[in-house]
């Protein structure tokens, strides 16, 4: 392994891979990505691939719109079909408070020319007759939203990054970050060192452990989310949007010949990746409540993954004033997959040009927690 580099990226998930690819595109010099296990083995391989424009803050909407541009021309640009399916996202409100949030969101989203519809319960019942609607007060639907394949997108970034000369090394855990005089000078792996003036923390749910190595406290917690997939089952020929029962924090969509049902999101931080019966029972209960016709199906499999939750459910992006050369791309709070194209682009701009130009990322700086300038995302009850 080379002993020096211009940039070291810690973490080979979709975020690290996108940053690596964009650094390659921008000719950032010798870029080395270090992954402790296999590329994508963290949250990326456990993600369900949701992509939406229906956010409630301008910064999240801007990241979605910028990323959509890449998803739309992914195959052309990166040589891999991302399996992007625009099935739409349907959000359902069952309280007047939620409906108020949806109405404000629609106003904001339309400012960005997003074709989101505000629907009343009878319209929802007419369009999606299999849904229980007696308790629904309204909903929103956007046909631009959908999902793509996490492993396809990851392999697109990895392949294209390697073709641009980026080195990606698996099975190499970073165990220390060397800092001298307030500046990053490199990383320690087991048995080796790489000297580099820029180190990017793209460690997913492990970012706070990686941050501690540089003496930087990163307020990101790993929270387990379980998801389940039914056995093959068919009840309609119409396209089913990714449908979110907002109050229950539950969603479902089609997955091959069956349906993907979300399970609960833990409230306590942990690295637990077990799947449990209680979570499956909860997922099934929510499914039967909202889509009674699913009564005839059974669960075929399930898995768990970790969200990387920041205190205000927004990403933490950018440099750290106390440690020059240490760059953060963390805390995506369940949106890291869909925002990965834009994140890679802005972080590469920051490293190469000293400033992100495609989007203004200053509101996502880690400094906001010290200044009390937290962002508000009322859609946090829902996580893909
Ligand atoms: C069940 C579930 C469903 C999800 N659904 C969606 C969705 O629909 N849409 C969406 O946008 N997002 C979704 N997400 C969130 C999304 O998966 C993450 O935001 C995204 O994958 C984060 O990517 P990452 O590269 O930051 O993290 P990861 O994929 O976790 O990658 C981090 C990598 O860093 C490596 N690493 C950590 N420490 C070290 C070290 N010291 N040295 C070397 N390597 C290290 C890890 O091994 C890991 O591979 C979901 C998440 C889960 C769990």
């Amino acid at each position: 392994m080379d002993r020096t580099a211009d940039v070291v990226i810690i973490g080979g998930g979709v975020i690290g891979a996108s940053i690596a690819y964009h650094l390659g595109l921008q000719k950032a010099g010798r870029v080395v990505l270090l992954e402790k296990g296999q590329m994508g083995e963290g949250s990326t391989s456990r993600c369900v691939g949701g992509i939406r424009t229906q956010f409630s803050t301008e910064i999240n909407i801007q990241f979605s719109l910028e990323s959509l541009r890449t998803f739309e021309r992914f195959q052309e640009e990166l040589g891999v079909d991302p399996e992007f399916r625009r099935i739409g996202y349907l959000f359902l409100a069952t309280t007047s408070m939620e409906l108020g949030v949806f109405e404000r969101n629609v106003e904001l989203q339309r400012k960005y020319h997003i074709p989101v519809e505000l629907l009343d319960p009878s319209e929802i019942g007419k369009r999606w007759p299999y849904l229980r609607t007696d308790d629904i007060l309204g909903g929103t639907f956007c046909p631009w939203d959908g999902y793509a394949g996490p492993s396809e997108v990851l392999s697109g970034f990895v392949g294209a990054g390697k073709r641009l000369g980026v080195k990606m090394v698996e099975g190499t855990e970073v165990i220390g970050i060397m800092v001298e005089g307030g500046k990053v000078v490199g990383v320690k792996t087991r048995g080796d060192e790489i000297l580099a003036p820029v180190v990017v923390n793209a460690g997913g749910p492990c970012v706070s452990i990686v941050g501690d190595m540089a003496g930087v406290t990163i307020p990101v917690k790993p929270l387990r989310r379980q998801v389940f997939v039914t056995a093959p089952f068919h009840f309609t020929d119409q396209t089913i949007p990714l449908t979110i029962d907002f109050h229950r924090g539950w969603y479902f969509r089609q997955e091959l010949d069956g349906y993907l049902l979300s399970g609960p999101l833990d409230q306590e931080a942990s690295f637990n990746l077990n799947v449990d019966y209680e979570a499956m029972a909860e997922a099934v209960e929510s499914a039967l409540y909202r889509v009674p016709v699913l009564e005839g199906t059974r669960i075929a499999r399930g898995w768990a993954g970790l969200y990387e939750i920041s205190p205000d459910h927004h990403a933490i992006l950018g440099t750290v004033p106390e440690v020059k050369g240490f760059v953060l791309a963390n805390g995506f709070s369940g949106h890291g997959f869909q925002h990965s194209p834009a994140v890679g682009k802005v972080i590469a701009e920051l490293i190469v040009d000293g400033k992100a130009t495609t989007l203004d990322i200053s509101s996502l700086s880690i400094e906001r927690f010290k200044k009390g300038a937290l962002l508000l995302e009322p859609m946090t009850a829902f996580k893909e």
Side-chain angles (χ1 to χ4, degrees):
M1 192 157 52
D2 294 350
R3 293 295 174 82
T4 60
D6 294 303
V7 183
V8 169
I9 300 165
I10 305 172
V14 72
I15 293 293
S18 173
I19 295 170
Y21 162 67
H22 284 93
L23 284 170
L25 264 188
Q26 299 205 21
K27 306 202 183 341
R30 292 161 306 146
V31 179
V32 179
L33 180 152
L34 301 175
E35 164 54 49
K36 68 177 166 158
Q38 290 182 339
M39 299 295 292
E41 75 164 29
S43 298
T44 299
S45 59
R46 293 156 191 276
C47 156
V48 305
I51 294 171
R52 62 181 159 115
T53 49
Q54 294 189 68
F55 279 97
S56 36
T57 59
E58 305 223 13
I59 190 75
N60 273 339
I61 292 174
Q62 289 164 7
F63 266 86
S64 293
L65 293 175
E66 181 55 38
S67 296
L68 262 186
R69 282 191 261 281
T70 302
F71 286 122
E72 280 163 354
R73 54 177 161 73
F74 201 86
Q75 180 151 21
E76 219 173 285
E77 183 179 326
L78 291 118
V80 174
D81 179 355
E83 304 277 337
F84 184 22
R85 307 252 181 279
R86 282 197 141 145
I87 56 170
Y89 263 50
L90 170 65
F91 280 88
L92 302 172
T94 50
T95 70
S96 49
M97 211 172 86
E98 288 161 10
L99 193 58
V101 170
F102 286 17
E103 284 165 356
R104 285 193 295 280
N105 290 345
V106 168
E107 213 173 292
L108 178 67
Q109 290 152 8
R110 285 187 181 157
K111 247 179 68 183
Y112 284 87
H113 310 292
I114 296 168
V116 58
E117 294 175 86
L118 188 61
L119 304 170
D120 62 31
S122 69
E123 179 66 18
I124 294 169
K126 231 189 285 160
R127 286 208 215 171
W128 298 286
Y130 51 83
L131 290 176
R132 172 175 178 172
T133 51
D134 57 351
D135 59 345
I136 289 177
L137 299 183
T140 60
F141 175 75
C142 178
W144 281 5
D145 302 343
Y147 68 97
S151 63
E152 286 80 359
V153 170
L154 177 75
S155 69
F157 286 135
V158 171
K162 284 182 178 170
R163 289 195 292 279
L164 290 165
V166 174
K167 292 217 168 80
M168 305 200 193
V169 190
E170 295 185 317
T172 304
E173 182 173 8
V174 171
I175 55 167
I177 296 175
M178 296 177 285
V179 179
E180 284 173 13
K183 284 188 193 155
V184 158
V185 293
V187 299
K188 284 184 201 290
T189 63
R190 292 189 193 282
D192 229 331
E193 278 184 7
I194 302 179
L195 299 178
V198 177
V199 171
V200 182
N201 180 357
C206 301
V207 292
S208 63
I209 300 170
V210 175
D212 288 347
M213 294 179 197
V216 176
T217 302
I218 303 173
V220 170
K221 289 192 293 192
L223 295 188
R224 176 178 60 157
R225 172 113 213 196
Q226 300 181 57
V227 286
F228 299 92
V229 174
T230 71
F233 189 73
H234 183 79
F235 64 82
T236 175
D237 286 333
Q238 75 181 100
T239 301
I240 296 175
L242 192 145
T243 305
I244 299 114
D245 193 333
F246 191 70
H247 199 69
R248 288 176 171 248
W250 176 84
Y251 64 86
F252 94 117
R253 69 159 163 81
Q254 195 139 15
E255 171 79 357
L256 301 172
D257 295 335
Y259 298 94
L260 186 143
L261 315 177
S262 76
L265 177 65
D266 283 2
Q267 298 305 309
E268 290 293 313
S270 81
F271 287 95
N272 180 5
L273 286 174
N274 293 336
V275 176
D276 58 53
Y277 177 81
E278 289 74 25
M280 185 183 80
E282 197 177 317
V284 170
E285 192 208 314
S286 295
L288 298 187
Y289 180 82
R290 188 56 65 203
V291 193
V293 70
L294 285 174
E295 178 80 54
T297 186
R298 62 179 183 80
I299 299 296
R301 65 192 177 97
W303 69 88
L306 302 171
Y307 281 167
E308 358 68 311
I309 304 283
S310 78
D312 61 2
H313 301 258
H314 279 74
I316 304 174
L317 298 183
T319 51
V320 180
E322 313 86 72
V323 185
K324 198 162 175 277
F326 193 42
V327 176
L328 309 180
N330 314 140
F332 297 100
S333 305
H335 321 133
F337 168 72
Q338 59 195 290
H339 287 170
S340 61
V343 169
K345 195 170 184 187
V346 295
I347 294 294
E349 289 169 354
L350 179 69
I351 292 170
V352 175
D353 308 325
K355 191 177 184 329
T357 44
T358 298
L359 295 173
D360 177 3
I361 60 169
S362 54
S363 64
L364 298 177
S365 156
I366 191 166
E367 290 292 280
R368 72 182 186 270
F369 302 110
K370 270 195 217 142
K371 293 182 190 153
L374 271 63
L375 295 150
L376 197 67
E377 174 55 270
M379 299 300 263
T380 49
F382 161 65
K383 302 275 175 322
E384 277 95 352

